[in-house]
Amino acid sequence: MKLHHFLVVVMMFGVAAYGGAVAHAQGECNVDFTFEERNGLLVVEIESEPAVSGWAVQTALSGFTGESYYRWDGSNSFDTPGNGLLEYKFRINTAGTYRFAWHNRIAAGNSSTDNNDAWLRFPDAANFFGENPSGSLVYPRDNMRGPDGEDLTPYPEGDSDDGWFKLYVNANGLGSWTWDSNTSDFDAHQVYVQFDSPGVYTMQVSARSNGHAIDRMVLFDPGRVTPNDAFNLANAETRCDTPAPEPNTIDVDEDGVITALDAIYVINRLGNNVIIGDNRIADVNNDDIIDDDDANAVIESIGTTLP
């Protein structure tokens, strides 16, 4: 039996069978997008697109990520979304409904209800809505996402127009950065985006309140990624031109070392009758049984510690 055949199958089955995280295959960038969702998470720095007129590139307030954050220094745009437009192209690899949040703060004044919001839109997603803990749903005005092209309702409390949500932060954003990103005044709804198929999509941000600052933005699948993990500031941007993390293919129980236990997990998964070509895959020493000797042969070949 050839050992390399066994190792190929370890890589195919080892982590997927036992709940470890396997990275999606990295796609190639093209002119249509810069970022991609990986394993249920998309991370985008606001400064990855050049600031247009009205957005000030800032570094004065500590606690931001990346190279800078943007603060809106133009006039208030309460009723006219689209001013100071920033667009971000990204690829969704796995269809689903993702929660959106941005790392933001009130960067002017001392009020928890002023200088605290901006506009957000996903024009080509299947759906874009807010939901509160009781299950109440709201949709942006002029969303045209009903079955016959009509608007889905109800609308949020407060301003909304042309498919845009107003996203605001209150007291938590006064004097500190926060991930609070709600829509619907006096009835906070978290924001979700539904993607019915993998593909390239557009995220649009535009200015609303003078003095509101935005640092980074995330989309995450709540079924695969917890808020704590999504909001971890140590996360790198999920750029499609940055190598994806290598999948954990050998250390099945993720304890930092490769032992016979890891190999036995895989052997138990494969069973002793798996055949590829003329080779029995798990029976490394070809004695017609699969046991610790086979596991130890694997360990001897690949070593006991991760690269």
Side-chain angles (χ1 to χ4, degrees):
M1 183 268 177
K2 299 296 191 299
L3 179 60
H4 69 274
H5 286 171
F6 177 81
L7 294 179
V8 167
V9 179
V10 169
M11 295 180 70
M12 292 168 57
F13 286 89
V15 175
Y18 293 95
V22 180
H24 290 293
Q26 180 188 350
E28 295 182 358
C29 293
N30 61 39
V31 295
D32 294 328
F33 61 94
T34 305
F35 303 92
E36 66 175 351
E37 165 263 322
R38 290 177 175 170
N39 298 319
L41 177 64
L42 178 83
V43 180
V44 177
E45 294 285 347
I46 190 82
E47 71 273 15
S48 61
E49 285 295 321
V52 299
S53 179
W55 288 106
V57 180
Q58 297 282 298
T59 58
L61 297 173
S62 63
F64 65 90
T65 59
E67 297 179 355
S68 64
Y69 59 89
Y70 288 175
R71 184 186 68 204
W72 180 246
D73 282 0
S75 60
N76 292 324
S77 187
F78 294 147
D79 300 318
T80 52
N83 291 328
L85 180 65
L86 301 169
E87 287 194 332
Y88 302 83
K89 295 287 188 178
F90 61 94
R91 179 176 57 212
I92 288 293
N93 291 314
T94 304
T97 298
Y98 290 70
R99 181 179 160 192
F100 175 88
W102 53 33
H103 196 228
N104 70 135
R105 68 182 290 166
I106 298 167
N110 297 307
S111 170
S112 63
T113 56
D114 296 318
N115 316 104
N116 69 332
D117 52 38
W119 297 102
L120 177 72
R121 182 169 70 172
F122 289 84
D124 44 14
N127 211 344
F128 180 37
F129 62 92
E131 184 173 2
N132 71 11
S134 69
S136 165
L137 300 178
V138 295
Y139 303 88
R141 294 179 184 274
D142 308 315
N143 62 80
M144 297 181 290
R145 287 185 167 100
D148 297 315
E150 75 279 14
D151 272 8
L152 295 174
T153 57
Y155 302 133
E157 295 296 326
D159 292 333
S160 177
D161 189 34
D162 197 24
W164 293 86
F165 267 145
K166 177 185 79 172
L167 265 63
Y168 64 86
V169 59
N170 286 332
N172 287 339
L174 190 60
S176 63
W177 293 99
T178 178
W179 286 101
D180 284 3
S181 315
N182 299 308
T183 194
S184 197
D185 294 349
F186 309 109
D187 183 21
H189 285 57
Q190 294 174 343
V191 173
Y192 293 85
V193 191
Q194 178 184 327
F195 304 101
D196 283 350
S197 61
V200 176
Y201 295 92
T202 304
M203 174 171 60
Q204 297 176 319
V205 178
S206 71
R208 190 172 190 274
S209 291
N210 175 277
H212 181 235
I214 303 173
D215 173 34
R216 65 161 42 182
M217 300 160 287
V218 299
L219 279 168
F220 64 98
D221 178 353
R224 293 184 287 160
V225 179
T226 67
N228 283 343
D229 288 339
F231 300 161
N232 184 347
L233 297 181
N235 290 333
E237 282 187 297
T238 53
R239 300 179 67 95
C240 59
D241 55 2
T242 301
E246 290 296 324
N248 174 10
T249 55
I250 303 297
D251 182 18
V252 179
D253 55 7
E254 297 185 310
D255 62 356
V257 293
I258 301 169
T259 65
L261 184 60
D262 297 300
I264 290 170
Y265 280 156
V266 179
I267 287 170
N268 287 341
R269 169 68 176 176
L270 293 174
N272 62 1
N273 293 311
V274 178
I275 305 296
I276 293 182
D278 295 327
N279 296 302
R280 191 181 297 265
I281 303 308
D283 183 15
V284 178
N285 59 8
N286 290 312
D287 63 357
D288 293 325
I289 59 173
I290 297 173
D291 54 18
D292 286 356
D293 289 338
D294 299 297
N296 289 332
V298 175
I299 300 308
E300 183 178 355
S301 174
I302 64 177
T304 58
T305 59
L306 292 168

